[in-house]
Amino acid sequence: MLWMSQWRAVVGRVVLELLRSRRNLIFWTVFPALMLLLFGMIYAGGRSTATSFDSTAPGILVGAALFFSMLSGPLTLLVGEREHGTLRRLLLSPLAPSAYFAGVATAFLLVAGWQALVVYGIAGVFGGRFHGSFALGTALVLMSALAYIGIGFYFGAVLAKRSEEVTSPVAAIGVPLLVLGGTFFSVDVLPPSLLAMTHMNPVYHMNHALREVSAHGASLADVGSSFAFLLVTCLGALLLGARAYAGLLQRERAGGVL
């Protein structure tokens, strides 16, 4: 099928570019590893490192690893395509826009899988392990990654027009969500006004659901509300990103100035 061939070609192209550049891959590997070691040791205190790394690994995977790679990766890629004129050349090819969107998303999901292996591999060295359903945990990681990817496409198509503008939307919007999402500390320390806002934060539901499943063996029934919130967030983010990308292509076809 033509669409499948195009999708595989895009996946291969993006993965090859990531392997050639190496810098981002190294950062996306080293940064969460160092964050996990740092917070794992800090929260261990007088307790066993196994307990600390059990509870720390999910937040670092969602908030440090997936956040920066899945959000900034597609954003940087799309901005680079525009700056180098690649996007216009793609428009002249028979490549289906949906195949490009799906191919980029798939390539970064492979990065997400690698990061999950790194985070839980390091946690395992210190006695941490995944206690709950692997299938449920995988679904939560996939939804979190796809939500970030959708927002990354939106930022790349709408908010960032040059490479120097890539970090601005990530820092301005993303970092407060991480802080209020319980990535680095428990949300129990937040005042009531901020705590009420936190429950509308998708990062909180990513952290809460994955931590409960991973560290405490929670079932789908136990994290049902966060799972539902994440599912809606994931689908909404992908739709938002796809529509923004489609709008970008329309502006390119019309010869608009980006």
Side-chain angles (χ1 to χ4, degrees), residues 89-172:
R89 290 196 294 272
L90 290 175
L91 286 173
L92 298 176
S93 73
L95 176 65
S98 59
Y100 178 84
F101 187 92
V104 171
T106 303
F108 280 98
L109 287 179
L110 295 177
V111 175
W114 165 248
Q115 291 180 316
L117 289 175
V118 169
V119 169
Y120 277 97
I122 293 174
V125 171
F126 291 89
R129 64 188 184 90
F130 197 97
H131 294 265
S133 165
F134 179 76
L136 179 56
T138 300
L140 291 169
V141 171
L142 282 175
M143 287 193 295
S144 300
L146 287 172
Y148 286 141
I149 289 170
I151 297 301
F153 259 94
Y154 176 80
F155 284 171
V158 176
L159 298 183
K161 298 181 180 180
R162 293 178 294 275
S163 57
E164 56 267 25
E165 298 176 346
V166 166
T167 58
S168 300
V170 175

Side-chain angles (χ1 to χ4, degrees), residues 15 18-19 22-33 36 61 65-66 69-70 106-122 141-142 145:
V15 170
L18 290 174
L19 291 175
R22 293 198 186 119
R23 187 176 304 171
N24 282 336
L25 285 179
I26 293 173
F27 171 77
W28 293 337
T29 300
V30 173
F31 177 64
L36 178 61
L61 176 59
L66 299 184
S69 59
M70 301 298 104
T106 303
F108 280 98
L109 287 179
L110 295 177
V111 175
W114 165 248
Q115 291 180 316
L117 289 175
V118 169
V119 169
Y120 277 97
I122 293 174
V141 171
L142 282 175

